[in-house]
Amino acid sequence: MAETIAARQEKPTVSRPMRQGKLRSIYLSRWFYLMMIPGLVYYALFHYAPMVGALIAFQDYNLMKGIWGSPWVGFDNFRVIFDNPEFVRIMRNTLLISIYKIVGSMVPDVILALMLNEVRVRWFKRAVQTITYGPYFLSWVIVYGLAFSFLAPGSGLISTFVRDMGWGSIDLLTNKDFFRPLLVLTEIWKNTGFGAIIYLAALASINQELYEAAVVDGAGRWRQLWHITLPGIRDVFVLLLIIRIGGILDAGFDQVFIFLNARVYDVGDIVDTWVYRYGFERLEFGVAAAMGVFKSVIGLVLVIGANKLAKKLGGSGIW
C-alpha cells in the first residue's frame, strides 16, 4: 500500500515536465501552427462542411424545402440506381476507361522521366520539360478544339489529308471503336509532362553513391536502371497507383463530357455523366447524391485494400 501511494505521489512530478516540454515545443513552433490555420479553415469549409449534403442521398430532396425540410426516403434512391437498366453499362464504361487511363498514362510518365533523367545537356532537358509540361495548363475545351481541328469529319486536317490521298473518309470523333483510345491519347498528351515531374523529383532523391558503387562493380546503365533507379521510384509509383485506384470511378468527367456525343454513348457514358443528367437535367438530386455516396464508399474500400496489398508486397503504402 505504501508503495502504491508513493507511486501516485511521484506520477504528477514525472508528467508535469512532460507537459511543460510539449507546451514549450508548441510555443517554439507557434508560427508553423499559425501557417496551418488557413489550410485547416479551407478544408473545414470546402471539404468537411459540404459533407452534410450527403444527407440528400437519403431524401426526396426538394429545393424549396431544403435539406432539413425534405422528406426522408431511406435507401430508395440507391434502389433507383441499382435497378436502373443503364447501371451495368455505365459501370463497365467507367471501369474500362479508368483502367485504360491508369495503364496508358502512368507508364508514359515513368518512361519520360527516365529518359529526361539520362539527358546531360541542361538546355535540351529544360526545353523538353517545358514543351511536355505546357499542355497540362490547357483546359479540356481547348484540347477538344485541337482534336476537332485534326479529326473533324470533312474539315479536319487528318480527315482532309486521308480524303485527298484517295484513302476514303474517316470519322474518328464519332467512332465507337476509337473513342476510348482517343481519351487515352489526349490524356497522355495533356498530363504526361506533369506526371514526369513527380518522378523526376523522386529520381533526384536517389543517393548518387549507389550509382558510383554500381559503376565500380561493373554495372552498366541498364543494370543501374533495373537495380537502383526503378526501386528508387517504386514507392512513388505505388503511392500514385493507390490514389488512382481509389478514384477508379472518376474516369474524368471534364474530358468525357466534352468528347461525348450521341453516337458514342454506348461506350462513353460514365458514372459522372449519368449523375450530371440526373442531377441537372432531371433535377433528381437525391439519386445523383446517392451515386456520389456509392462512389465514395467504393473508393474508400479500394484505397484501403490497395494500401494493404502494397504493404504485403513490400511497399510503404500511404500510411
Side-chain angles (χ1 to χ4, degrees):
M1 180 66 70
E3 293 178 356
T4 304
I5 296 174
R8 291 179 179 176
Q9 291 176 349
E10 291 178 359
K11 188 174 180 180
T13 60
V14 174
S15 60
R16 189 178 298 112
M18 293 178 62
R19 289 197 298 268
Q20 292 178 351
K22 290 181 179 179
L23 292 175
R24 179 174 175 80
S25 176
I26 294 174
Y27 176 77
L28 293 175
S29 304
R30 60 189 182 279
W31 299 115
F32 295 103
Y33 288 107
L34 287 175
M35 287 188 290
M36 286 174 57
I37 292 177
L40 294 175
V41 171
Y42 167 79
Y43 277 97
L45 291 178
F46 297 102
H47 289 268
Y48 286 95
M51 291 177 66
V52 178
L55 296 175
I56 298 174
F58 306 95
Q59 296 178 330
D60 182 11
Y61 182 71
N62 187 297
L63 284 173
M64 302 303 295
K65 296 180 180 179
I67 295 178
W68 309 115
S70 299
W72 296 89
V73 295
F75 291 94
D76 289 350
N77 291 326
F78 293 91
R79 295 190 184 95
V80 172
I81 294 173
F82 299 138
D83 294 339
N84 194 304
E86 297 179 346
F87 178 74
V88 176
R89 176 175 60 84
I90 63 173
M91 288 297 296
R92 181 179 64 250
N93 293 339
T94 304
L95 292 175
L96 286 176
I97 292 174
S98 295
I99 292 173
Y100 291 161
K101 284 187 176 183
I102 291 174
V103 176
S105 62
M106 294 191 68
V107 175
D109 295 349
V110 176
I111 294 175
L112 179 60
L114 294 176
M115 293 173 64
L116 290 175
N117 189 56
E118 297 297 325
V119 176
R120 296 295 176 261
V121 183
R122 291 188 175 181
W123 68 266
F124 181 75
K125 182 177 181 179
R126 292 176 180 175
V128 173
Q129 281 185 282
T130 303
I131 294 172
T132 56
Y133 188 48
Y136 177 77
F137 296 98
L138 300 178
S139 68
W140 281 113
V141 176
I142 298 176
V143 174
Y144 177 76
L146 294 173
F148 186 84
S149 64
F150 280 94
L151 304 176
S155 60
L157 182 62
I158 296 178
S159 302
T160 303
F161 175 78
V162 172
R163 183 188 60 203
D164 294 343
M165 294 296 294
W167 297 338
S169 60
I170 58 174
D171 191 2
L172 298 179
L173 291 178
T174 58
N175 190 327
K176 293 182 180 180
D177 297 330
F178 190 72
F179 181 75
R180 290 169 183 165
L182 179 63
L183 295 180
V184 175
L185 290 174
T186 52
E187 175 86 11
I188 293 173
W189 179 78
K190 186 177 185 296
N191 295 327
T192 296
F194 177 79
I197 289 178
I198 298 176
Y199 290 108
L200 284 173
L203 290 171
S205 64
I206 298 176
N207 190 352
Q208 296 300 313
E209 294 180 357
L210 296 175
Y211 292 103
E212 297 174 1
V215 172
V216 172
D217 291 338
R221 298 302 301 176
W222 289 108
R223 287 288 182 181
Q224 296 176 35
L225 174 67
W226 184 258
H227 294 286
I228 300 176
T229 306
L230 292 180
I233 63 174
R234 181 185 61 184
D235 290 342
V236 176
F237 183 86
V238 171
L239 173 64
L240 295 177
L241 180 61
I242 292 174
I243 295 174
R244 294 292 294 268
I245 290 176
I248 198 169
L249 293 183
D250 294 321
F253 170 75
D254 296 345
Q255 180 192 21
V256 176
F257 182 74
I258 293 172
F259 279 81
L260 195 64
N261 57 74
R263 293 188 179 182
V264 295
Y265 256 95
D266 291 340
V267 297
D269 192 19
I270 61 174
V271 171
D272 289 340
T273 55
W274 185 88
V275 169
Y276 176 84
R277 292 198 303 274
Y278 263 78
F280 291 96
E281 294 180 3
R282 302 185 184 183
L283 298 181
E284 296 186 18
F285 299 105
V287 177
M291 180 62 84
V293 173
F294 172 74
K295 285 176 52 181
S296 300
V297 172
I298 296 298
L300 176 62
V301 172
L302 290 175
V303 167
I304 294 175
N307 186 68
K308 289 185 177 180
L309 180 61
K311 287 186 175 181
K312 286 184 177 180
L313 296 177
S316 60
I318 298 180
W319 62 86

